[in-house]
Amino acid sequence: MIVKNADLNGVISDIFIKDGIITDIVAVDKRSNIVDSENVFDAENKKVVPSFFNTHTHSAMTLLRGYADDMPLNPWLSEKIWPAEAKLVPEDVYWGTKLACLEMIKTGTTFFNDMYWCIDSIIKAATEMNMRLAVSATFIDIGKDTDKLIKELDDTYERVSAIDNPNIIFTIAPHAIYTVSEKMLKYSGKFAKDHDLFIHTHLSETKKEYDDCLRDHGMKPAFYLDSFGLLTEKTMLAHSVWLDDDEIKLIADRGATVSHNPISNMKLSVGKAFDYRKMKNANVRVTLGTDGCSSNNNLNMAESMKFASILQKFAYNDPALMSAEECFKIASFNGAEAFGIKAGKIEKGYDADFLVLKSNIYDMTPGFNVYSDIVYSVGNNFVDSVFCKGKLIMEHGKIEGEDEIISHAKKISKKFIS
Ligand SMILES: [Zn+2]
């Protein structure tokens, strides 16, 4: 595959791709022969940038978009979200995940780190949509039969690890330290170590979580998590807002990654801004997540980038904090790197995960700086075409099955109000 006439930072170039990897980049004025075959995509001098890696979401919650808003976190979860989720069957999760994939691809995301139930439905949906996926065995076991859950985890691992798809990463996802028992946290830490797995969990979203952990376990949340072997180089910590300096140092020492979810944090009013400067100074890898559609309410990484950058500037009174280019790297390169994926740069040897941007759209005009335009200006209609691991998964805004996905999602959503 060759993507010709791509505008890479102002240099019109041809991008050569083989087996999903960029094998060469040649400026058009140094082009030796004009290639013309069915394996050529003409970028028509449009800007080409790396795609986004969404490191924390609950994809099928697209079905609950707009269902419950403007409520405090605990009653929001217990009175609205959890009862609605109890009505979901695997087929619903399949369509909800398809809707999430549709939205993510349209807004430039090629990878998502998901935490939800009905793992087979999620895998089927993401595979059909040609996306990369980190999919988790997700569990909450407070008030449930932990031994049964352990058996299910073992079975799920056997089943999913047998799937032959390099675009799927299996992770273990204890939901949070306050929803998973000590027994299950201990088992999870050992399981992740034995099988060398990525770990995905929520950590320190609220002050209540911090205070309760200290009261109940005599330890701060990050130290409590670490006591089960759950803080490793392969751990992704969603939120990570209420952490003190010792915890940030511990996370850095363990080489774990955090997923910053600015819109969710602000919408659910977690009471404090994520401390990017401290994380950065401690050399913690920071990535970006949208969180689910119940607390965001979309999966548009460009919008999350704007909130991330502007929240830092506002909260810490420093307009230079988290520049557009730095924010873009957090949303692309850092997210890929956290999962061991060589992407997030358009260079020889990197995976071919990139976006061809629309030209002649008002919110990227006049077009002085592509990072500034994407982080601060664009809406949700700035991506022309998307490549994921060298495969063209959206061509000129079109994705197969779009209408069917939307009509199924609408039909399913009726069950929440009946
Ligand atoms: Zn979440």
Side-chain angles (χ1 to χ4, degrees):
M1 161 71 82
I2 301 162
V3 176
K4 71 174 185 180
N5 301 319
D7 178 345
L8 295 176
N9 293 318
V11 181
I12 306 300
S13 306
D14 297 334
I15 304 169
F16 293 76
I17 303 165
K18 192 162 187 286
D19 299 330
I21 295 167
I22 298 170
T23 54
D24 207 359
I25 296 173
V26 179
V28 166
D29 56 14
K30 299 206 175 69
R31 184 191 269 163
S32 53
N33 58 331
I34 297 288
V35 276
D36 244 337
S37 77
E38 60 196 36
N39 273 334
V40 174
F41 176 91
D42 190 352
E44 299 165 340
N45 297 354
K46 292 180 179 120
K47 291 176 181 171
V48 173
V49 295
S51 62
F52 311 129
F53 286 67
N54 185 349
T55 58
H56 180 67
T57 189
H58 311 278
S59 60
M61 290 185 93
T62 47
L63 297 170
L64 294 168
R65 193 195 320 262
Y67 172 68
D69 299 301
D70 313 320
M71 291 174 73
L73 190 130
N74 287 325
W76 173 77
L77 275 176
S78 58
E79 291 165 24
K80 300 296 285 189
I81 300 302
W82 288 340
E85 284 182 326
K87 295 181 179 177
L88 293 176
V89 297
E91 172 84 359
D92 301 337
V93 172
Y94 165 77
W95 286 109
T97 309
K98 293 267 275 194
L99 180 62
C101 292
L102 177 69
E103 181 180 0
M104 286 191 274
I105 296 168
K106 288 246 171 185
T107 48
T109 294
T110 56
F111 165 97
F112 62 111
N113 182 35
D114 205 24
M115 186 194 281
Y116 216 60
W117 292 270
C118 308
I119 191 167
D120 300 285
S121 302
I122 298 166
I123 292 170
K124 184 168 184 272
T127 305
E128 285 176 8
M129 299 296 282
N130 300 301
M131 284 190 79
R132 294 180 189 262
L133 165 71
V135 70
S136 61
T138 301
F139 42 85
I140 288 176
D141 78 327
I142 300 292
K144 288 187 187 157
D145 181 348
T146 302
D147 292 329
K148 191 170 163 242
L149 221 69
I150 287 175
K151 170 87 177 63
E152 276 173 21
L153 172 61
D154 294 347
D155 292 348
T156 305
Y157 174 72
E158 288 301 323
R159 202 171 67 252
V160 176
S161 51
I163 296 172
D164 183 22
N165 182 345
N167 284 350
I168 295 172
I169 296 170
F170 180 76
T171 77
I172 184 168
H175 173 267
I177 55 168
Y178 59 92
T179 49
V180 179
S181 66
E182 285 194 37
K183 181 178 177 181
M184 195 62 194
L185 288 169
K186 200 170 177 184
Y187 187 80
S188 306
K190 187 174 179 321
F191 195 88
K193 186 166 186 256
D194 289 347
H195 300 284
D196 191 26
L197 297 177
F198 283 94
I199 298 158
H200 183 191
T201 192
H202 296 99
L203 185 73
S204 290
E205 182 174 3
T206 62
K207 184 163 189 304
K208 181 178 180 339
E209 182 182 337
Y210 182 93
D211 292 342
D212 289 357
C213 188
L214 261 184
R215 182 196 63 204
D216 297 341
H217 309 295
M219 272 185 267
K220 298 165 191 167
F223 285 89
Y224 182 61
L225 197 66
D226 188 52
S227 72
F228 302 106
L230 285 166
L231 212 51
T232 76
E233 280 178 5
K234 297 180 100 172
T235 301
M236 180 61 73
L237 303 164
H239 303 302
S240 303
V241 175
W242 288 90
L243 297 168
D244 69 14
D245 293 353
D246 293 341
E247 290 180 287
I248 291 174
K249 185 177 179 308
L250 178 69
I251 290 168
D253 288 347
R254 295 287 182 265
T257 301
V258 301
S259 176
H260 176 33
N261 305 155
I263 297 181
S264 173
N265 293 161
M266 293 168 84
K267 187 164 183 248
L268 291 171
S269 303
V270 298
K272 183 163 137 9
F274 175 81
D275 203 330
Y276 175 64
R277 195 195 318 251
K278 274 192 182 167
M279 295 278 182
K280 190 180 167 186
N281 290 343
N283 285 322
V284 174
R285 185 194 289 116
V286 175
T287 65
L288 191 69
T290 56
D291 210 353
C293 265
S294 288
S295 58
N296 182 308
N297 296 1
N298 66 39
L299 306 174
N300 179 355
M301 286 283 280
E303 187 178 274
S304 283
M305 278 185 252
K306 178 168 183 172
F307 273 84
S309 178
I310 286 180
L311 172 61
Q312 290 306 310
K313 297 173 198 313
F314 178 74
Y316 298 104
N317 197 23
D318 180 359
L321 198 51
M322 202 190 280
S323 69
E325 198 159 346
E326 199 171 338
C327 191
F328 191 97
K329 180 175 169 279
I330 287 167
S332 55
F333 179 86
N334 288 13
E337 188 186 55
F339 284 91
I341 298 167
K342 195 172 177 188
K345 286 184 182 179
I346 303 178
E347 289 178 12
K348 195 172 161 176
Y350 277 77
D351 284 4
D353 281 56
F354 54 75
L355 316 174
V356 179
L357 303 178
K358 288 189 175 176
S359 55
N360 301 322
I361 55 172
Y362 63 86
D363 45 7
M364 288 188 76
T365 299
F368 290 121
N369 181 319
V370 72
Y371 302 111
S372 168
D373 286 344
I374 289 175
V375 174
Y376 298 131
S377 174
V378 295
N380 61 1
N381 190 27
F382 59 101
V383 182
D384 175 87
S385 299
V386 178
F387 286 82
C388 175
K389 190 107 175 103
K391 191 176 169 72
L392 182 59
I393 65 170
M394 178 172 86
E395 186 170 11
H396 305 312
K398 287 205 172 43
I399 297 174
E400 214 180 306
E402 179 170 351
D403 293 343
E404 191 193 8
I405 294 168
I406 291 171
S407 79
H408 271 281
K410 280 186 177 167
K411 225 178 281 168
I412 293 164
S413 67
K414 292 200 172 70
K415 70 164 67 175
F416 303 128
I417 45 173
S418 61

